[in-house]
């Protein structure tokens, strides 16, 4: 199937980490969304560069990969879906242990 692409521009505040009282700004960013091969690929061009996010096309639309503007990348290694509201007793934390 051929890729389908849509785009838009919106204000995007850069991440704020630190205790300095910096002036907050909302520079414009360009978002390009491509549907292709079972994924949504979202490219965000912003004041620092460009980020690429790759999501599953099907619900729950897991974020599979994030290629950051600084050249680093994060890749989802594992996802576990647990019945959150049912796991509230001592010992339920064992469900979080990895079984690789």
């Amino acid at each position: 199937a051929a890729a389908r692409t849509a785009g838009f521009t919106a204000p995007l505040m850069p991440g704020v980490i630190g205790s300095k009282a910096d002036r907050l700004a909302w520079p414009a960013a360009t978002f390009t969304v491509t549907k292709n091969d079972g994924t949504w690929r979202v490219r965000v061009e912003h004041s620092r560069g460009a980020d690429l996010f790759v999501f599953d096309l099907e619900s729950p639309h897991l974020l599979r990969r994030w290629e950051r503007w600084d050249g680093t990348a994060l890749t989802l290694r594992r996802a576990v879906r647990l019945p959150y509201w049912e796991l509230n007793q001592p010992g339920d934390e064992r469900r979080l242990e990895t079984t690789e």
Side-chain angles (χ1 to χ4, degrees):
R4 292 190 306 175
T5 302
F8 60 94
T9 300
L12 178 69
M13 179 183 287
V16 178
I17 298 175
S19 60
K20 291 187 347 181
D22 294 332
R23 182 179 162 274
L24 299 180
W26 297 77
T30 301
F31 295 76
T32 305
V33 181
T34 305
K35 179 182 177 183
N36 194 12
D37 296 330
T39 64
W40 290 110
R41 296 173 64 85
V42 181
R43 181 176 170 83
V44 182
E45 296 180 42
H46 49 81
S47 60
R48 291 181 174 170
D51 287 45
L52 175 67
F53 301 89
V54 180
F55 297 90
D56 285 345
L57 186 59
E58 300 298 325
S59 180
H61 311 290
L62 293 175
L63 174 59
R64 292 291 173 176
R65 184 160 174 85
W66 175 11
E67 297 175 11
R68 294 170 30 100
W69 63 273
D70 61 5
T72 60
L74 303 164
T75 301
L76 179 66
R77 292 177 42 190
R78 183 173 92 108
V80 178
R81 297 194 60 184
L82 299 172
Y84 177 81
W85 292 111
E86 296 171 19
L87 300 175
N88 53 24
Q89 300 299 312
D92 286 341
E93 64 276 4
R94 73 183 181 286
R95 299 281 299 269
L96 298 173
E97 295 174 2
T98 61
T99 55
E100 295 184 37

XYZ file of all heavy atoms in Angstrom:
807
model
N 0.845 -1.188 0.000
C 0.000 0.000 0.000
C 0.880 1.238 0.000
O 1.916 1.281 0.650
C -0.903 -0.005 1.222
N 0.459 2.224 -0.703
C 1.219 3.473 -0.793
C 1.099 4.259 0.503
O 0.092 4.191 1.201
C 0.704 4.305 -1.959
N 2.138 4.996 0.808
C 2.140 5.824 2.022
C 1.181 6.989 1.836
O 1.042 7.534 0.745
C 3.545 6.333 2.300
N 0.527 7.346 2.912
C -0.329 8.534 2.926
C 0.266 9.518 3.908
O 0.643 9.145 5.015
C -1.757 8.177 3.341
C -2.451 7.321 2.303
C -3.915 7.178 2.589
N -4.118 6.692 3.953
C -5.302 6.553 4.509
N -6.387 6.831 3.856
N -5.402 6.123 5.747
N 0.346 10.777 3.507
C 0.995 11.795 4.330
C 0.066 12.983 4.531
O -0.643 13.388 3.621
C 2.305 12.273 3.649
O 3.140 11.142 3.451
C 3.027 13.287 4.497
N 0.112 13.550 5.756
C -0.602 14.781 6.091
C 0.334 15.618 6.938
O 1.233 15.098 7.593
C -1.875 14.468 6.858
N 0.147 16.923 6.920
C 1.014 17.780 7.717
C 0.289 18.990 8.254
O -0.781 19.358 7.771
N 0.879 19.591 9.275
C 0.342 20.814 9.853
C 1.432 21.504 10.646
O 2.465 20.914 10.960
C -0.886 20.535 10.745
C -0.599 19.621 11.903
C -0.275 20.156 13.150
C -0.675 18.244 11.766
C -0.022 19.315 14.229
C -0.425 17.399 12.841
C -0.097 17.937 14.069
N 1.209 22.748 10.977
C 2.125 23.530 11.806
C 1.395 23.918 13.082
O 0.218 24.270 13.038
C 2.601 24.793 11.052
O 3.268 24.373 9.867
C 3.558 25.614 11.882
N 2.113 23.834 14.214
C 1.516 24.181 15.503
C 2.617 24.683 16.432
O 3.789 24.347 16.248
C 0.840 22.956 16.114
N 2.269 25.502 17.440
C 3.272 25.922 18.425
C 3.705 24.727 19.271
O 2.901 23.855 19.577
C 2.545 26.967 19.269
C 1.098 26.796 18.986
C 0.961 26.071 17.691
N 4.996 24.684 19.609
C 5.531 23.572 20.388
C 6.576 24.110 21.355
O 7.595 24.648 20.942
C 6.175 22.532 19.463
C 6.813 21.330 20.141
C 5.744 20.440 20.775
C 7.639 20.545 19.137
N 6.319 23.962 22.660
C 7.281 24.410 23.660
C 8.377 23.368 23.819
O 8.087 22.196 24.001
C 6.617 24.646 25.013
C 7.621 25.097 26.078
S 6.887 25.300 27.691
C 5.973 26.789 27.437
N 9.642 23.768 23.736
C 10.726 22.827 23.985
C 10.657 22.320 25.425
O 10.091 22.980 26.297
C 11.996 23.650 23.779
C 11.570 24.883 23.058
C 10.122 25.096 23.397
N 11.237 21.164 25.677
C 11.265 20.628 27.033
C 11.940 21.597 27.982
O 12.904 22.268 27.636
N 11.413 21.699 29.179
C 11.978 22.592 30.194
C 12.462 21.724 31.347
O 11.664 21.119 32.052
C 10.927 23.607 30.693
C 11.517 24.492 31.767
C 10.392 24.435 29.541
N 13.781 21.629 31.496
C 14.354 20.869 32.595
C 15.350 21.781 33.292
O 16.285 22.284 32.679
C 15.073 19.596 32.098
C 14.067 18.679 31.403
C 15.756 18.882 33.252
C 14.689 17.458 30.781
N 15.133 22.024 34.555
C 16.025 22.888 35.313
C 15.233 23.858 36.158
O 14.021 23.979 36.036
N 15.955 24.569 36.989
C 15.288 25.477 37.911
C 15.439 26.942 37.508
O 14.978 27.817 38.224
C 15.844 25.264 39.319
O 17.240 25.519 39.319
N 16.101 27.206 36.388
C 16.242 28.597 35.954
C 14.900 29.148 35.513
O 14.082 28.429 34.961
C 17.228 28.702 34.790
C 18.649 28.401 35.204
C 19.688 28.659 34.144
C 19.174 28.870 32.760
N 20.197 29.101 31.779
N 14.713 30.411 35.742
C 13.472 31.066 35.339
C 13.632 31.582 33.910
O 13.744 32.767 33.653
C 13.132 32.205 36.292
N 13.697 30.657 32.939
C 13.826 31.045 31.543
C 12.519 31.614 31.025
O 11.445 31.284 31.507
C 14.205 29.832 30.679
C 15.590 29.297 31.011
O 16.434 30.090 31.462
O 15.810 28.090 30.813
N 12.655 32.446 30.005
C 11.472 32.965 29.325
C 10.905 31.823 28.475
O 11.613 31.225 27.677
C 11.857 34.133 28.420
C 10.689 34.751 27.729
C 11.147 35.926 26.859
N 10.131 36.248 25.898
C 10.001 35.662 24.707
N 10.832 34.730 24.320
N 9.040 36.025 23.886
N 9.655 31.491 28.681
C 9.032 30.410 27.937
C 8.549 30.926 26.589
O 7.973 32.001 26.489
C 7.870 29.821 28.722
C 8.237 29.214 30.079
C 7.001 28.672 30.769
C 9.274 28.126 29.911
N 8.809 30.163 25.554
C 8.397 30.538 24.204
C 7.750 29.330 23.540
O 8.022 28.185 23.901
C 9.608 31.008 23.406
N 6.928 29.589 22.556
C 6.223 28.553 21.814
C 6.522 28.700 20.323
O 5.668 29.104 19.546
C 4.716 28.679 22.043
C 4.296 28.471 23.454
C 4.394 29.341 24.490
C 3.717 27.296 23.997
N 3.912 28.790 25.636
C 3.480 27.529 25.363
C 3.360 26.061 23.463
C 2.913 26.570 26.193
C 2.792 25.120 24.291
C 2.576 25.380 25.637
N 7.745 28.375 19.893
C 8.039 28.516 18.463
C 7.233 27.513 17.636
O 6.817 26.458 18.143
C 9.535 28.218 18.373
C 9.838 27.400 19.573
C 8.869 27.847 20.644
N 7.040 27.837 16.368
C 6.276 26.963 15.472
C 7.070 25.689 15.177
O 8.296 25.706 15.088
C 5.963 27.692 14.177
N 6.355 24.609 15.028
C 6.934 23.328 14.627
C 6.074 22.773 13.503
O 4.872 23.025 13.444
C 6.970 22.357 15.798
N 6.702 22.023 12.624
C 5.984 21.408 11.514
C 5.873 19.909 11.773
O 6.868 19.246 12.033
C 6.725 21.653 10.184
O 6.844 23.056 9.976
C 5.977 21.036 9.017
N 4.654 19.416 11.731
C 4.366 18.007 11.964
C 3.993 17.358 10.631
O 3.131 17.864 9.919
C 3.181 17.847 12.928
C 3.452 18.363 14.309
C 3.450 19.728 14.586
C 3.685 17.477 15.344
C 3.696 20.199 15.863
C 3.926 17.938 16.634
C 3.933 19.300 16.883
N 4.649 16.249 10.318
C 4.321 15.476 9.130
C 3.984 14.067 9.584
O 4.799 13.408 10.225
C 5.502 15.443 8.142
O 5.899 16.782 7.847
C 5.128 14.735 6.858
N 2.779 13.625 9.253
C 2.299 12.318 9.677
C 2.155 11.437 8.444
O 1.469 11.806 7.492
C 0.943 12.435 10.409
C 0.456 11.072 10.872
C 1.045 13.413 11.571
N 2.818 10.276 8.478
C 2.767 9.340 7.362
C 2.251 8.004 7.854
O 2.741 7.473 8.849
C 4.167 9.152 6.740
O 4.681 10.420 6.370
C 4.120 8.248 5.528
N 1.260 7.469 7.155
C 0.720 6.144 7.443
C 1.321 5.189 6.422
O 1.140 5.371 5.217
C -0.800 6.167 7.329
C -1.465 4.842 7.585
C -2.962 4.989 7.396
C -3.662 3.663 7.568
N -5.110 3.793 7.304
N 2.066 4.169 6.907
C 2.736 3.280 5.981
C 3.156 1.994 6.685
O 3.667 2.039 7.791
C 3.974 3.969 5.388
C 4.527 3.255 4.188
O 3.893 2.366 3.634
N 5.709 3.638 3.770
N 2.975 0.854 6.044
C 3.472 -0.433 6.528
C 3.129 -0.715 7.994
O 3.992 -1.109 8.772
C 4.984 -0.540 6.336
C 5.380 -0.526 4.866
O 4.569 -0.994 4.041
O 6.468 -0.053 4.555
N 1.910 -0.490 8.397
C 1.490 -0.821 9.759
C 1.936 0.152 10.829
O 1.848 -0.154 12.014
N 2.454 1.318 10.431
C 2.895 2.310 11.416
C 2.412 3.706 11.050
O 2.100 4.007 9.909
C 4.443 2.366 11.521
O 4.989 2.818 10.279
C 5.022 1.020 11.896
N 2.377 4.536 12.074
C 2.262 5.984 11.916
C 3.657 6.531 12.146
O 4.284 6.218 13.164
C 1.339 6.606 12.971
C -0.111 6.292 12.834
C -0.840 5.493 13.658
C -1.006 6.796 11.853
N -2.134 5.463 13.237
C -2.265 6.258 12.129
C -0.862 7.651 10.762
C -3.387 6.540 11.357
C -1.985 7.920 9.994
C -3.226 7.384 10.291
N 4.190 7.303 11.247
C 5.495 7.944 11.402
C 5.232 9.447 11.514
O 4.668 10.043 10.596
C 6.398 7.632 10.212
C 6.715 6.141 10.117
C 7.469 5.780 8.869
N 8.785 6.382 8.807
C 9.885 5.874 9.360
N 9.807 4.731 10.020
N 11.030 6.485 9.249
N 5.615 10.018 12.638
C 5.374 11.438 12.893
C 6.723 12.139 12.963
O 7.518 11.884 13.866
C 4.583 11.658 14.203
C 4.339 13.141 14.432
C 3.273 10.872 14.168
N 6.979 13.004 12.002
C 8.220 13.792 11.976
C 7.870 15.191 12.474
O 6.933 15.820 11.972
C 8.792 13.845 10.569
C 10.079 14.623 10.478
C 10.646 14.547 9.050
N 11.750 15.458 8.873
C 12.999 15.207 9.216
N 13.306 14.049 9.775
N 13.942 16.109 9.016
N 8.631 15.653 13.463
C 8.398 16.970 14.043
C 9.657 17.806 13.822
O 10.709 17.523 14.390
C 8.077 16.876 15.551
C 7.790 18.264 16.121
C 6.913 15.929 15.796
N 9.545 18.819 12.971
C 10.657 19.738 12.727
C 10.445 20.959 13.613
O 9.399 21.598 13.556
C 10.711 20.121 11.256
C 11.010 18.923 10.363
C 11.070 19.283 8.897
O 11.648 20.341 8.568
O 10.525 18.496 8.097
N 11.450 21.236 14.450
C 11.309 22.297 15.449
C 12.599 23.095 15.535
O 13.532 22.879 14.752
C 10.916 21.698 16.807
C 11.771 20.548 17.230
N 13.003 20.701 17.818
C 11.568 19.210 17.124
C 13.527 19.516 18.068
N 12.675 18.587 17.657
N 12.673 24.018 16.478
C 13.794 24.957 16.572
C 15.140 24.285 16.810
O 16.178 24.836 16.468
C 13.527 26.000 17.659
O 13.358 25.368 18.915
N 15.167 23.092 17.381
C 16.428 22.388 17.647
C 16.817 21.416 16.539
O 17.938 20.930 16.497
C 16.337 21.618 18.958
C 16.269 22.506 20.163
C 16.205 21.648 21.397
N 16.277 22.482 22.590
C 16.051 22.032 23.794
N 15.756 20.763 23.988
N 16.126 22.831 24.831
N 15.887 21.037 15.686
C 16.143 20.059 14.637
C 14.866 19.306 14.318
O 13.811 19.912 14.188
N 14.954 17.987 14.211
C 13.778 17.174 13.889
C 13.786 15.895 14.720
O 14.835 15.302 14.947
C 13.749 16.841 12.404
N 12.616 15.496 15.157
C 12.416 14.233 15.867
C 11.513 13.363 14.991
O 10.650 13.879 14.273
C 11.717 14.450 17.205
C 12.604 15.076 18.258
O 13.334 16.040 17.974
O 12.561 14.601 19.387
N 11.698 12.050 15.079
C 10.836 11.109 14.374
C 10.267 10.138 15.393
O 11.008 9.509 16.161
C 11.610 10.337 13.304
C 10.812 9.243 12.595
C 9.694 9.844 11.752
C 11.730 8.379 11.754
N 8.954 9.995 15.400
C 8.250 9.065 16.284
C 7.594 7.999 15.413
O 6.937 8.334 14.420
C 7.167 9.792 17.094
C 7.687 10.907 17.946
C 7.790 12.199 17.457
C 8.072 10.657 19.253
C 8.274 13.227 18.250
C 8.558 11.685 20.054
C 8.650 12.966 19.546
N 7.740 6.730 15.796
C 7.116 5.632 15.055
C 6.152 4.925 16.001
O 6.571 4.392 17.031
C 8.170 4.648 14.507
C 7.488 3.516 13.747
C 9.174 5.376 13.617
N 4.867 4.948 15.638
C 3.801 4.349 16.442
C 3.179 3.178 15.695
O 3.110 3.186 14.464
C 2.669 5.365 16.692
C 3.055 6.564 17.483
C 3.518 7.708 16.856
C 2.943 6.563 18.864
C 3.861 8.836 17.590
C 3.280 7.689 19.609
C 3.741 8.818 18.960
N 2.670 2.182 16.448
C 1.863 1.129 15.833
C 0.610 1.757 15.246
O 0.013 2.669 15.851
C 1.429 0.090 16.877
C 2.537 -0.841 17.303
O 3.587 -0.898 16.620
O 2.364 -1.509 18.342
N 0.197 1.259 14.106
C -1.019 1.747 13.479
C -2.253 1.317 14.269
O -3.213 2.063 14.412
C -1.082 1.216 12.045
C -2.197 1.717 11.158
C -2.138 3.227 11.017
C -2.118 1.050 9.801
N -2.202 0.108 14.818
C -3.349 -0.423 15.555
C -3.316 0.022 17.013
O -2.250 0.217 17.584
C -3.344 -1.954 15.480
C -3.431 -2.512 14.063
C -4.707 -2.125 13.344
O -5.766 -2.037 13.999
O -4.650 -1.892 12.118
N -4.499 0.126 17.607
C -4.635 0.468 19.016
C -3.917 -0.570 19.860
O -3.983 -1.757 19.525
C -6.115 0.524 19.382
O -6.277 0.860 20.730
N -3.211 -0.210 20.889
C -3.144 1.062 21.590
C -2.067 2.016 21.073
O -1.631 2.912 21.787
C -2.851 0.644 23.031
C -2.005 -0.577 22.903
C -2.528 -1.273 21.670
N -1.647 1.880 19.804
C -0.722 2.821 19.156
C 0.578 3.002 19.956
O 0.993 4.110 20.268
C -1.385 4.180 18.915
C -2.720 4.073 18.270
N -2.881 3.671 16.964
C -3.968 4.281 18.755
C -4.179 3.652 16.671
N -4.855 4.015 17.738
N 1.223 1.882 20.276
C 2.469 1.943 21.045
C 3.533 2.747 20.312
O 3.669 2.640 19.092
C 3.019 0.537 21.290
C 2.212 -0.369 22.201
C 2.841 -1.761 22.245
C 2.129 0.212 23.592
N 4.279 3.539 21.070
C 5.426 4.256 20.520
C 6.564 3.250 20.423
O 7.092 2.794 21.430
C 5.807 5.438 21.428
C 7.078 6.190 21.054
C 6.995 6.777 19.653
C 7.360 7.282 22.075
N 6.945 2.874 19.217
C 7.976 1.862 18.994
C 9.384 2.440 18.965
O 10.336 1.804 19.377
C 7.718 1.126 17.679
C 6.494 0.275 17.701
C 6.719 -0.887 18.605
N 5.484 -1.666 18.775
C 5.435 -2.768 19.450
N 6.507 -3.256 20.012
N 4.301 -3.411 19.579
N 9.515 3.664 18.434
C 10.850 4.255 18.292
C 10.740 5.771 18.303
O 9.792 6.331 17.785
C 11.490 3.788 16.988
C 12.905 4.267 16.807
C 13.635 3.410 15.780
N 14.955 3.933 15.497
C 16.040 3.663 16.213
N 15.954 2.873 17.267
N 17.202 4.170 15.896
N 11.745 6.421 18.902
C 11.849 7.874 18.925
C 13.273 8.212 18.533
O 14.209 7.929 19.272
C 11.501 8.406 20.300
C 11.667 9.876 20.508
C 11.894 10.849 19.572
C 11.597 10.568 21.762
N 11.962 12.078 20.151
C 11.788 11.942 21.507
C 11.402 10.150 23.070
C 11.796 12.896 22.513
C 11.396 11.110 24.062
C 11.588 12.464 23.786
N 13.447 8.785 17.357
C 14.752 9.258 16.905
C 14.795 10.749 17.181
O 14.051 11.523 16.589
C 14.942 8.957 15.422
C 14.948 7.471 15.137
C 15.015 7.122 13.661
O 15.265 8.031 12.833
O 14.814 5.938 13.338
N 15.672 11.137 18.102
C 15.692 12.506 18.616
C 16.556 13.437 17.764
O 17.455 12.992 17.069
C 16.189 12.500 20.057
C 15.232 11.785 21.004
C 15.812 11.559 22.390
N 16.753 12.563 22.802
C 16.480 13.592 23.621
N 15.277 13.714 24.119
N 17.414 14.445 23.959
N 16.300 14.704 17.900
C 17.006 15.746 17.157
C 18.504 15.733 17.424
O 19.293 16.154 16.593
C 16.431 17.126 17.511
C 16.632 17.470 18.971
C 15.812 17.142 19.999
C 17.744 18.125 19.544
N 16.336 17.565 21.189
C 17.533 18.196 20.945
C 18.909 18.694 19.037
C 18.435 18.782 21.812
C 19.803 19.292 19.913
C 19.561 19.329 21.282
N 18.922 15.224 18.584
C 20.339 15.249 18.954
C 21.102 14.004 18.483
O 22.259 13.805 18.830
C 20.505 15.422 20.463
C 19.884 14.286 21.276
O 19.389 13.302 20.680
O 19.899 14.387 22.513
N 20.444 13.141 17.688
C 21.095 11.955 17.158
C 20.904 10.703 17.990
O 21.274 9.616 17.567
N 20.330 10.827 19.177
C 20.064 9.655 19.999
C 18.735 9.030 19.583
O 17.924 9.668 18.908
C 20.029 10.006 21.498
O 18.995 10.965 21.729
C 21.367 10.577 21.960
N 18.531 7.784 19.970
C 17.283 7.103 19.635
C 16.866 6.206 20.793
O 17.709 5.651 21.497
C 17.444 6.280 18.363
N 15.580 6.073 20.959
C 14.993 5.193 21.968
C 14.111 4.187 21.234
O 13.332 4.564 20.365
C 14.154 5.992 22.962
C 14.899 7.112 23.688
C 13.918 8.070 24.336
C 15.812 6.513 24.728
N 14.251 2.906 21.573
C 13.463 1.859 20.932
C 12.759 1.042 22.006
O 13.385 0.613 22.976
C 14.375 0.935 20.101
O 15.048 1.719 19.113
C 13.575 -0.142 19.397
N 11.468 0.824 21.830
C 10.693 0.014 22.769
C 11.172 -1.426 22.685
O 11.192 -2.017 21.604
C 9.197 0.088 22.436
C 8.269 -0.730 23.316
C 8.259 -0.181 24.740
C 6.870 -0.738 22.741
N 11.598 -1.959 23.798
C 12.075 -3.343 23.838
C 10.980 -4.311 24.244
O 10.982 -5.466 23.838
C 13.231 -3.464 24.820
C 14.457 -2.727 24.328
C 15.591 -2.748 25.293
N 15.772 -4.058 25.920
C 16.574 -4.270 26.941
N 17.276 -3.276 27.453
N 16.695 -5.461 27.467
N 10.058 -3.836 25.072
C 9.030 -4.729 25.594
C 7.855 -3.905 26.082
O 8.034 -2.820 26.617
C 9.630 -5.520 26.757
C 8.725 -6.536 27.375
C 9.505 -7.356 28.381
N 9.420 -6.786 29.707
C 8.715 -7.332 30.702
N 8.065 -8.454 30.503
N 8.682 -6.776 31.878
N 6.676 -4.427 25.915
C 5.477 -3.790 26.446
C 4.642 -4.862 27.148
O 4.482 -5.964 26.625
C 4.662 -3.141 25.329
N 4.166 -4.547 28.331
C 3.344 -5.471 29.107
C 2.054 -4.750 29.456
O 2.083 -3.640 29.987
C 4.075 -5.903 30.410
C 3.188 -6.824 31.235
C 5.395 -6.556 30.085
N 0.940 -5.384 29.164
C -0.354 -4.816 29.525
C -0.875 -5.574 30.735
O -1.063 -6.781 30.684
C -1.314 -4.918 28.356
C -0.776 -4.088 27.178
C -1.765 -3.869 26.137
N -2.898 -3.151 26.703
C -3.993 -2.869 26.033
N -4.110 -3.214 24.783
N -4.985 -2.228 26.606
N -1.062 -4.860 31.821
C -1.505 -5.455 33.084
C -2.830 -4.838 33.514
O -3.090 -3.670 33.236
C -0.464 -5.210 34.182
C 0.922 -5.803 33.946
C 1.889 -5.320 35.011
C 0.848 -7.312 33.949
N -3.663 -5.595 34.232
C -4.908 -5.045 34.767
C -4.603 -4.143 35.975
O -4.716 -4.565 37.131
C -5.724 -6.283 35.144
C -4.681 -7.323 35.425
C -3.529 -7.010 34.519
N -4.203 -2.928 35.709
C -3.703 -1.983 36.721
C -4.578 -1.921 37.974
O -4.075 -2.004 39.092
C -3.581 -0.605 36.080
C -3.140 0.478 37.030
C -1.791 0.626 37.353
C -4.045 1.343 37.611
C -1.377 1.606 38.232
C -3.636 2.332 38.489
C -2.307 2.462 38.784
O -1.895 3.429 39.649
N -5.886 -1.757 37.804
C -6.759 -1.551 38.975
C -6.950 -2.812 39.793
O -7.443 -2.772 40.913
C -8.108 -0.992 38.537
C -7.953 0.391 38.011
C -8.097 0.783 36.715
C -7.581 1.558 38.735
N -7.838 2.115 36.593
C -7.513 2.629 37.824
C -7.269 1.813 40.069
C -7.176 3.917 38.196
C -6.935 3.112 40.444
C -6.896 4.140 39.516
N -6.564 -3.976 39.274
C -6.705 -5.229 40.011
C -5.422 -5.609 40.753
O -5.433 -6.531 41.557
C -7.079 -6.353 39.050
C -8.438 -6.135 38.408
C -8.714 -7.135 37.311
O -8.054 -8.198 37.277
O -9.595 -6.851 36.482
N -4.317 -4.964 40.458
C -3.025 -5.335 41.046
C -2.652 -4.363 42.158
O -1.811 -3.492 41.995
C -1.945 -5.369 39.961
C -2.203 -6.351 38.829
C -1.144 -6.233 37.760
C -2.270 -7.769 39.377
N -3.301 -4.509 43.298
C -3.063 -3.575 44.398
C -2.803 -4.281 45.729
O -2.914 -3.673 46.783
C -4.247 -2.607 44.532
C -5.563 -3.337 44.655
O -5.611 -4.493 45.064
N -6.640 -2.660 44.272
N -2.451 -5.548 45.669
C -2.185 -6.317 46.884
C -0.685 -6.592 47.007
O 0.021 -6.676 45.998
C -2.945 -7.647 46.861
C -4.456 -7.492 46.775
C -5.017 -6.731 47.961
O -4.696 -7.018 49.113
N -5.854 -5.743 47.692
N -0.184 -6.749 48.246
C 1.229 -7.118 48.407
C 1.528 -8.383 47.602
O 0.752 -9.339 47.615
C 1.364 -7.362 49.914
C 0.274 -6.535 50.528
C -0.866 -6.578 49.532
N 2.629 -8.370 46.886
C 3.010 -9.499 46.047
C 2.667 -9.308 44.583
O 3.225 -9.974 43.717
N 1.743 -8.396 44.291
C 1.378 -8.166 42.892
C 2.533 -7.596 42.075
O 2.538 -7.701 40.850
C 0.173 -7.228 42.788
C -1.133 -7.918 43.169
O -1.166 -9.172 43.167
O -2.112 -7.198 43.458
N 3.543 -7.056 42.756
C 4.682 -6.494 42.036
C 5.456 -7.575 41.267
O 6.171 -7.268 40.322
C 5.621 -5.737 42.970
C 6.304 -6.574 44.022
C 5.479 -6.808 45.287
O 4.295 -6.372 45.352
O 6.015 -7.433 46.210
N 5.255 -8.822 41.624
C 5.943 -9.899 40.899
C 5.523 -9.909 39.420
O 6.251 -10.412 38.570
C 5.666 -11.244 41.540
C 4.280 -11.782 41.305
C 4.034 -13.100 42.042
N 2.708 -13.621 41.790
C 1.597 -13.128 42.311
N 1.634 -12.090 43.126
N 0.425 -13.675 42.021
N 4.366 -9.369 39.102
C 3.899 -9.320 37.711
C 4.759 -8.403 36.859
O 4.714 -8.459 35.638
C 2.447 -8.836 37.672
C 1.441 -9.711 38.395
C 1.017 -10.959 37.614
N 0.384 -10.682 36.362
C -0.921 -10.537 36.175
N -1.738 -10.624 37.195
N -1.413 -10.319 34.981
N 5.564 -7.540 37.514
C 6.427 -6.608 36.785
C 7.773 -7.218 36.440
O 8.529 -6.655 35.660
C 6.638 -5.329 37.591
C 5.379 -4.527 37.874
C 5.701 -3.375 38.814
C 4.763 -4.034 36.585
N 8.102 -8.376 37.021
C 9.388 -9.005 36.774
C 9.486 -9.429 35.308
O 8.503 -9.877 34.723
C 9.575 -10.225 37.679
C 9.646 -9.859 39.149
C 9.675 -11.077 40.059
O 9.684 -12.213 39.557
O 9.667 -10.848 41.288
N 10.683 -9.281 34.751
C 10.873 -9.666 33.354
C 11.055 -11.165 33.233
O 11.605 -11.813 34.111
C 12.088 -8.950 32.743
O 13.241 -9.335 33.488
C 11.938 -7.458 32.777
N 10.577 -11.699 32.160
C 10.769 -13.111 31.849
C 11.333 -13.182 30.441
O 10.639 -13.435 29.482
C 9.431 -13.888 31.929
O 8.486 -13.249 31.077
C 8.910 -13.935 33.346
N 12.626 -12.911 30.329
C 13.268 -12.897 29.008
C 13.985 -14.180 28.756
O 14.420 -14.879 29.593
C 14.229 -11.712 28.924
C 13.482 -10.394 28.997
C 14.407 -9.223 28.808
O 15.350 -9.308 28.009
O 14.183 -8.199 29.466
